[in-house]
Amino acid sequence: MNTVLIIATLVEVLLLVVVLAGYLLAITGTLNKIASTANLIRIGVHAIDEQVRPIESEVRGVNGALQKVATALTNVTR
């Protein structure tokens, strides 16, 4: 009787280890997909940053020109 209980316990422990290993493998696969997606997002954000960066200097130029126009219009209306 003890032998049967020991074998049943070992089988249950083995099944538990197999199930836990399966879950860990599934979690690892999911985390790899998330890491891949996060990397794609990082690359996209970097590309957007590179494309938007020149806008700051252009906006300053436009603001300077608009300030000159505003000054000229103020002088005209006086």
Side-chain angles (χ1 to χ4, degrees):
M1 184 66 180
N2 280 341
T3 306
V4 174
L5 291 176
I6 291 172
I7 292 172
T9 302
L10 291 175
V11 169
E12 288 177 358
V13 169
L14 181 64
L15 285 173
L16 177 65
V17 169
V18 168
V19 169
L20 288 176
Y23 276 117
L24 288 175
L25 289 173
I27 290 170
T28 301
T30 302
L31 289 175
N32 283 334
K33 288 178 186 176
I34 291 170
S36 175
T37 302
N39 190 39
L40 290 175
I41 291 170
R42 183 189 60 81
I43 291 169
V45 168
H46 180 70
I48 291 169
D49 180 49
E50 291 296 319
Q51 292 175 356
V52 171
R53 191 166 297 181
I55 290 176
E56 182 179 356
S57 62
E58 295 298 323
V59 167
R60 287 185 183 172
V62 169
N63 282 342
L66 288 174
Q67 185 62 40
K68 289 178 184 176
V69 169
T71 304
L73 287 174
T74 302
N75 292 336
V76 168
T77 58
R78 286 186 184 173

